[in-house]
Amino acid sequence: RRWGLEASVLGEVSKDGRLKVLAGGETVVDAPAEALAEEGPVYQRPFERPAWLDEVQAAPVGDTAPPDPRTAFLQLLSSPGIASKRWVWEQYDHMIFLGTLHGPGSDAAVIRLPGTDVAVAITVDGPGRLCYLDPYEGALHAVAEAARNVACSGAKPLAVTNCLNFGNPEKPDVMWQFAEVVRGIGDACRALATPVTGGNVSFYNETMGRAIYPTPVIGMAGVCHSPEQAVGFRFRADGDVLLLLGSPDPDAFGGSEYAKVVNVAIGGKPPALDLVAERRLHDLLFEAAGAGVLRSAHDVSSGGLAVTLAESAIAGGKGFELSAFEGEPHRALFAEPASCVVVTTDDEDALRALADGAGVPVTRLGIVGGDALRFGSFDVSLEEATAAFETALPERLSATIDA
């Protein structure tokens, strides 16, 4: 009534485990709920691993060094998949009755439930390119990254929902992609103890006979220790120490944003993912948030370490300076390894002690401060990085409309 909407009571929840439908006071359906939920017909279609996948996985992974890493960085920062989506989210109410603690742009939104002292973290993830290269491994990454985003917010990942998007399932290769993605989601959810609470499937997403990438979108929810212990992704104070939690992988370029944007390549295989190590990382982040030793946390994903650092710097209005890297700079900065998170802390010893206890590797990256993003091999002013990140999407959309 408050919002001028109609609402009708459909029924009520009972304790007898049966689904009953009444019409005119007469019971017309009386069936066990478990039979409807667990014993329905299984959807079976012929499926087969496509022959073209071997060629895709053998194609160049797109990891060659750029002529100028600074230019490559700005190119990534302003690419549609990475650039700020502020133009979109500022057009709707994202404050949820003023209960939003961390909103759009964060790894996960954190919302205080009205009238309670409970905060939940929610996020979505859908790595279509990774699932194109390997549907099973890509699905593992979809669940793992969604859970990691929730954990970065200081919450314990608890459950998922999904939206599975595919082409025509009457084609054996598409049906194989679907079966492999479902298998991957199941394995990842069992390993991370995040049951699937529901979801939907969207088939026949094709144009002129060409299917979209197999894209499972995973929605993950978790609960924080308390609203006060929710963790954001922005840098908070000069002098905070930058640490990398997890094991870097300089060869993790399969399906990466760098490969697509800079080298126009989509080939190879997704980065290796260890679900046991992934869960240890989640547990560490949740424990560290509860202990109050995390100043910020942001997972390494699209664009690699360079973009992860830049997003936190832009959000916090604070630069940073990195220590020297071994090997080729572009591999350290633009690779997209699994199970890696950049955190800041003002108590490095305490955080290292927690990480050691959890069996999670820790690497010191540098320190927060200044008005520039100092990567070691090149510098970008905070002002220039912010402009590239914030203006790219509206400028691209304006150019499209004008054209």
Side-chain angles (χ1 to χ4, degrees):
R1 286 191 296 268
R2 177 182 178 185
W3 298 105
L5 300 175
E6 294 183 4
S8 301
V9 176
L10 297 178
E12 60 184 25
V13 177
S14 65
K15 297 181 179 180
D16 60 6
R18 303 190 68 82
L19 174 68
K20 298 178 182 179
V21 180
L22 292 87
E26 179 184 353
T27 300
V28 295
V29 175
D30 186 348
E34 184 176 2
L36 296 172
E38 304 295 339
E39 300 173 6
V42 178
Y43 187 65
Q44 296 282 7
R45 281 193 182 277
F47 60 86
E48 182 180 6
R49 185 181 187 275
W52 52 259
L53 189 57
D54 290 333
E55 183 178 347
V56 169
Q57 292 181 344
V61 73
D63 62 345
T64 54
D68 178 13
R70 187 180 190 279
T71 300
F73 165 71
L74 291 172
Q75 187 179 357
L76 280 170
L77 201 59
S78 59
S79 64
I82 291 175
S84 171
K85 310 305 185 293
R86 184 183 303 275
W87 183 88
V88 177
W89 58 254
E90 68 182 359
Q91 298 186 51
Y92 64 87
D93 176 17
H94 55 273
M95 293 309 297
I96 317 297
F97 297 104
L98 300 181
T100 300
L101 303 176
H102 297 290
S106 304
D107 289 73
V110 180
I111 301 168
R112 184 197 299 266
L113 299 184
T116 74
D117 197 35
V118 176
V120 297
I122 51 177
T123 191
V124 294
D125 195 75
R129 282 200 300 274
L130 297 186
C131 291
Y132 172 69
L133 297 178
D134 188 318
Y136 175 77
E137 292 292 333
L140 297 183
H141 278 275
V143 176
E145 183 170 349
R148 194 182 318 134
N149 286 335
V150 165
C152 281
S153 298
K156 183 177 181 62
L158 292 180
V160 310
T161 184
N162 61 64
C163 177
L164 311 182
N165 307 279
F166 295 83
N168 183 354
E170 298 170 39
K171 298 177 180 179
D173 59 336
V174 173
M175 191 62 198
W176 177 82
Q177 291 175 329
F178 175 65
E180 286 293 282
V181 162
V182 170
R183 183 169 71 92
I185 292 174
D187 286 351
C189 286
R190 280 184 285 270
L192 300 179
T194 53
V196 179
T197 62
N200 73 294
V201 179
S202 176
F203 281 131
Y204 300 98
N205 295 289
E206 297 192 356
T207 301
M208 303 295 289
R210 183 176 179 180
I212 63 168
Y213 286 160
T215 308
V217 177
I218 302 296
M220 179 74 66
V223 176
C224 299
H225 293 276
S226 70
E228 292 71 29
Q229 290 177 310
V231 179
F233 78 110
R234 64 181 182 88
F235 291 157
R236 294 175 58 186
D238 292 348
D240 282 351
V241 177
L242 278 165
L243 300 173
L244 179 71
L245 305 181
S247 301
D249 180 0
D251 298 320
F253 282 91
S256 68
E257 199 75 12
Y258 174 87
K260 177 180 182 293
V261 172
V262 177
N263 288 327
V264 196
I266 302 177
K269 295 182 179 181
L273 174 63
D274 181 340
L275 288 170
V276 174
E278 182 74 37
R279 187 165 181 181
R280 285 200 298 262
L281 177 62
H282 302 171
D283 292 342
L284 168 62
L285 289 165
F286 184 63
E287 183 182 12
V293 297
L294 289 182
R295 303 277 280 174
S296 70
H298 194 19
D299 86 309
V300 179
S301 56
S302 296
L305 180 63
V307 168
T308 299
L309 291 164
E311 288 174 339
S312 294
I314 292 168
K318 296 182 180 299
F320 58 84
E321 183 169 0
L322 297 188
S323 307
F325 289 111
E326 296 182 1
E328 299 175 278
H330 81 285
R331 293 190 176 277
L333 294 175
F334 302 131
E336 297 179 10
S339 310
C340 285
V341 171
V342 171
V343 300
T344 57
T345 183
D346 57 359
D347 192 342
E348 182 178 358
D349 291 341
L351 184 53
R352 283 185 176 274
L354 292 176
D356 289 344
V360 175
V362 180
T363 305
R364 183 171 178 139
L365 296 175
I367 194 165
V368 174
D371 58 0
L373 284 55
R374 303 187 186 282
F375 292 100
S377 56
F378 64 92
D379 297 344
V380 177
S381 71
L382 185 59
E383 181 180 7
E384 183 179 5
T386 301
F389 182 67
E390 293 289 353
T391 63
L393 186 61
E395 286 182 355
R396 182 178 289 250
L397 292 173
S398 297
T400 302
I401 293 172
D402 293 342

